Amino acid sequence: MNIGILTAGGDCPGLNAVIRGAVMKGDRIHGQTFLGIRDGWRGLVEDDVIPLPRHEVRGLSRQGGTILGTSRVSPFRGDAGGAERVKEVMAAHAMDAIIAIGGEGTLTVARMLYDEGVPIVGVPKTIDNDLSATDYTFGFDTAVSIATESVDRLRTTAESHHRCMVVEVMGRHVGWIALHAGLAGGAHAVLVPEVPVTLDQVCEWVESARDRGRAPLVVVAEGFTLEDGDIIARDAVDGFGRPRLGGVGEALGPLIEERTGIETRVATLGHLQRGGVPTSYDRVLATRFGAAAIDAVVERKWGTMVSLRGIDIETVDLRSATTELKVVPRHRWDEAAVLFG
Amino acid sequence: MNIGILTAGGDCPGLNAVIRGAVMKGDRIHGQTFLGIRDGWRGLVEDDVIPLPRHEVRGLSRQGGTILGTSRVSPFRGDAGGAERVKEVMAAHAMDAIIAIGGEGTLTVARMLYDEGVPIVGVPKTIDNDLSATDYTFGFDTAVSIATESVDRLRTTAESHHRCMVVEVMGRHVGWIALHAGLAGGAHAVLVPEVPVTLDQVCEWVESARDRGRAPLVVVAEGFTLEDGDIIARDAVDGFGRPRLGGVGEALGPLIEERTGIETRVATLGHLQRGGVPTSYDRVLATRFGAAAIDAVVERKWGTMVSLRGIDIETVDLRSATTELKVVPRHRWDEAAVLFG
Amino acid sequence: MNIGILTAGGDCPGLNAVIRGAVMKGDRIHGQTFLGIRDGWRGLVEDDVIPLPRHEVRGLSRQGGTILGTSRVSPFRGDAGGAERVKEVMAAHAMDAIIAIGGEGTLTVARMLYDEGVPIVGVPKTIDNDLSATDYTFGFDTAVSIATESVDRLRTTAESHHRCMVVEVMGRHVGWIALHAGLAGGAHAVLVPEVPVTLDQVCEWVESARDRGRAPLVVVAEGFTLEDGDIIARDAVDGFGRPRLGGVGEALGPLIEERTGIETRVATLGHLQRGGVPTSYDRVLATRFGAAAIDAVVERKWGTMVSLRGIDIETVDLRSATTELKVVPRHRWDEAAVLFG
Amino acid sequence: MNIGILTAGGDCPGLNAVIRGAVMKGDRIHGQTFLGIRDGWRGLVEDDVIPLPRHEVRGLSRQGGTILGTSRVSPFRGDAGGAERVKEVMAAHAMDAIIAIGGEGTLTVARMLYDEGVPIVGVPKTIDNDLSATDYTFGFDTAVSIATESVDRLRTTAESHHRCMVVEVMGRHVGWIALHAGLAGGAHAVLVPEVPVTLDQVCEWVESARDRGRAPLVVVAEGFTLEDGDIIARDAVDGFGRPRLGGVGEALGPLIEERTGIETRVATLGHLQRGGVPTSYDRVLATRFGAAAIDAVVERKWGTMVSLRGIDIETVDLRSATTELKVVPRHRWDEAAVLFG
């Protein structure tokens, strides 16, 4: 059997470990051969496919990024050719199946291809932890680790200067990274897209921490908005009435400083969170996902993706992976909010 | 309500985060007060109890170890006084309930006390991940992280010298740390107590890795025994017929070197694995466990312990925590063994 | 002898280790007592002084920040009172001498106080490594470590996406952090304030790296300016002609992308570089500085500061510390530039 | 010009960075070509030489170990053939010069070859920091970092259990790693080969720390011996009169426990200290050494080695590198001893 592998969407620690897990298991147990599809769907649209023999995946479990490259190209966009073009390229390389590693967008494309008869299996990737069809995916733990380590570092400087520190972490639609890094780092406020709060509330937490002699530490997900959004709109301009650039952290910091009088600094972690060596948790999960994807291929479970439930790997319908965003439930936020202020 | 907290058994990263989670939630939401019982059950037997106000738990989520101290004393051993003595000390401090944080031994004592009427709630702690009543507990992820990082480090030296490296990790009865660190670190063999293999098999994996130009890397849990145990017995003596000291790693290394002719070095990680700053995963889980223990106390769920199932915290009967060891199931080992050699 | 200690200026990993080294040595060897002056010179101006017994410095060698707090207040600014006020507060606490830990500004104040008769000894602190009177100071190694680790992380994502990555590090007047982190991280260009280069040159390095299949990595110090500065001035406005906010990294990234057509991302490390646990290098140096400051006090070497020369600690005149900025010499940059592109 | 490079002796973080620095500079500036001599002198004796083009050194600055391999073979041992054989192999590959990277043994061989007319330049490598002809070499900082991090980790467990912890670090002849890691980690005793102390003194420090409520932490270099060595000799046998195996840490721990009654645990760091990713300090120094070795080759400074003095790289006679061991001077130990107990 001849299997194509691709990684699509944003970079994520653990992609290489999935590739290695799949190739090692397929090569050794089933005598499968592998093809690397370069830069996600682009490689299938533009016929950019390379051999992926076992020795190429050596040592990959601890290497961040993806040796196959990635992009945000879709076969269904513009005149990319859709399923027909994909089948054409597969046929040219005698490719029997595809393992597609990616997030919601990638898995949606995978499902559409499956609907048109492409033998395909998915592996969920989401650094934000926003897929409801799996307990966790690889990359999330590494991102939370990096964000937590950053919070630990920023805290000492904030305390030395008696400042408030606002740390913006990833999370456009869901607040999981903020929630976990905030809990782990002992933040005095965690602001997530799922739970808008007022600036008054934020400042109350900040002042409460300050009043107990602490340097207030606010972790904010990039998708957070103030409940009283007009205040952001009004304040997020500079003295010339021009909108302030930068993310929510850059907007929020000055608001807190103006309102509370506490000197405030902002750190935006950005790309730091998705790079580098994966944590051992992510390496194990990614390796297991890669091996499980081979099982799904061997059992011809087309149109499914692998998924973590508790401590077991299962397969679920690709459709289930792409219908519902896994948001931070209210009870999880309430549980954390006990520690704020 | 006046709640006593104790930590018992071996040290484990995350103990302090549990204490902090419990005290913060109890103090803020329920107006509870807390007492620190020093050095596990010893504090209850010898009446060594201190106030544990909220400001004492400040910053604890990222601090390894336990500020309460720990020991392996049991109230049911010798003339320690059993449940009567425990009730006496509780009464002297007007203690309404106990939160006991510990492993199988501690939770067994907790259950015995509960059977004699002590209002008690457990929090599972096991760095080895050997409790079947919870998916994971805090400490395990940190131990696996440290072991994985050590494997990463040892690999470069092994490769420079073309050596085989044997790394002994914790796990007297179960091989979870070895399994996960071995998977994460890309080991060529992982040896666990649950699956005895022959020295021939180990050497076959070692030679296979060597033949592909790799420095063979063997991760072995301290409780592993060779299937053909007589060989260990025979070889694990020095030239004077005296038994070699040291653990299984120290015994296995020379056997591999003698059999394969590959120069072999041994690293025994020991206490390194249970110390230091907890990973963000363990901090989050421990904090949630601490808060959930307060919920259990408030709901008077005596005789239960908190537990992780998937991504949710539940409570389970203390009895269930102490009846069955969670071993590495055969299918998990088989899944990993695909990558050996 | 009764000695006051203060830390002033920006936070820096190792400040606490200096404090601990001084107090431990003074207390044990000379029976000295210590006073903590809070928030730098502010504590001397506003008489905010606390006892600093030995047990307060326990465990401080590995703790970032400063337990004494810091600020940018100067006794010579406004009506702060100058040397007279300082002497007054010293007298009120029977303070015999001051150990002042800080950068160029702090050491200048120390020198001015010494000129007016205050018995004072300095300890140089500069995360930027810009003091010519010492080979290195504590904090610099930690900053370079964090910047290097960040570069390592950002590289994997840049490679997965075939992007150029611009990393802005600290260094308003000197490029030492950029130079060392760039060398350690294998950057394809290092841009420092001391050596202006043209945008053409930068883009040539970027394209050269890209042409060899690499993801171009540019490390830029915050004080760098393009040799053809007018190009920055022209381009660093948005579509509406408004100046772009953000630092040099934010300005440079789009210029590179526009000129080369290579997708470019920017990471600004900011405060991350000055926080958290000091490296072992910085802990050793800071501890030695603290102990050496006590020697200087005992020998009444007022008006001097401790300094590292090779592997030895010496004392030098405070004046020498504040006259000349230690810039990256041209031969050091040339040495590094061999590796660019 | 055609230059052979070899790495010999024990593995050391930064070897790869030296190789990269040399090849990059030689290739780009001087158009030199490079040959990799495999496994140190073995490659010259057995004619195991490979091309080392520039693309082979890509990304090496952050990779531990040596891609060339290493061994302890000497051309002057047995019938290896000495300088004649070396010249023969050099001639066979048209090799114009050799860059030899290694410790005292390697540099002694280099000097002997130079004495017989081989054009050779040395790069000092010593993880132990025992070469007097250079302030520091690469590898030492990484070893100290790892040892310090280990001490930090072991401390939390020692404190939770009220134990004494003995940590054995590298250093057979000199105690630099112990001294620096002990200072950085806040050890209560640092035991080095240069300064024998009595068991009484060690126990006095241990008890003093315990009496102040600390978990005593002893860092011991592997080459340390008790001043009253007969006590070790007597005690370092088990109940059957057989000598105890293991290093000085394993011998010392039980002695401390028996003498003081404080439960004591031992951690032997071993190979962990010489593996893995080099620190940024070591990467910078190693890269500069590699580039400076090319300068020395171009200037035909045969029989010299590169060396760090303060912040500058110089060249010194190879003879000076191999005549005197750089021991910890008494004043450095005294400086540290102020903090003991």
Side-chain angles (χ1 to χ4, degrees), chain C residues 20 24-25 28-29 54 58 61-62 135-136 141 144-145 148 152 155 159 180 183-186 212 214 280-281 283-284 287-288 310-311 332 335 338-341, chain D residues 20 24-25 28-29 54 58 61-62 135-136 141 144-145 148 152 155 159 180 183-186 212 214 280-281 283-284 287-288 310-311 332 335 338-341:
Chain C
R20 172 178 172 271
M24 294 278 281
K25 177 152 195 180
R28 291 186 162 191
I29 304 299
R54 181 175 136 190
R58 165 180 168 171
S61 67
R62 57 192 174 284
D135 278 3
Y136 291 108
D141 188 65
V144 172
S145 291
T148 300
D152 287 353
R155 178 188 297 278
E159 286 176 347
H180 280 230
L183 268 177
R212 285 179 296 110
R214 310 296 304 273
S280 50
Y281 183 96
R283 297 192 210 178
V284 170
T287 303
R288 295 182 71 196
I311 60 175
R332 284 297 307 277
E335 176 193 284
V338 167
L339 306 168
F340 296 172
Chain D
R20 172 178 171 272
M24 292 277 282
K25 176 152 194 181
R28 290 185 164 193
I29 304 299
R54 181 174 136 192
R58 166 181 167 169
S61 67
R62 58 193 174 281
D135 278 2
Y136 291 107
D141 187 65
V144 172
S145 291
T148 301
D152 286 353
R155 178 188 297 279
E159 286 175 347
H180 280 230
L183 268 178
R212 285 179 297 110
R214 309 296 305 273
S280 51
Y281 183 97
R283 297 192 211 178
V284 170
T287 302
R288 294 181 72 195
I311 60 175
R332 283 298 306 277
E335 176 193 283
V338 167
L339 307 169
F340 297 171

Side-chain angles (χ1 to χ4, degrees), chain D residues 34-35 74 88 106 113 142 178 190 211 220 242 268 297 330:
Chain D
F34 290 86
L35 294 165
S74 161
E88 199 174 277
T106 304
L113 288 172
T142 303
V190 174
D211 292 347
V220 58
R242 295 174 305 207
T268 304
V297 164
R330 183 70 198 206

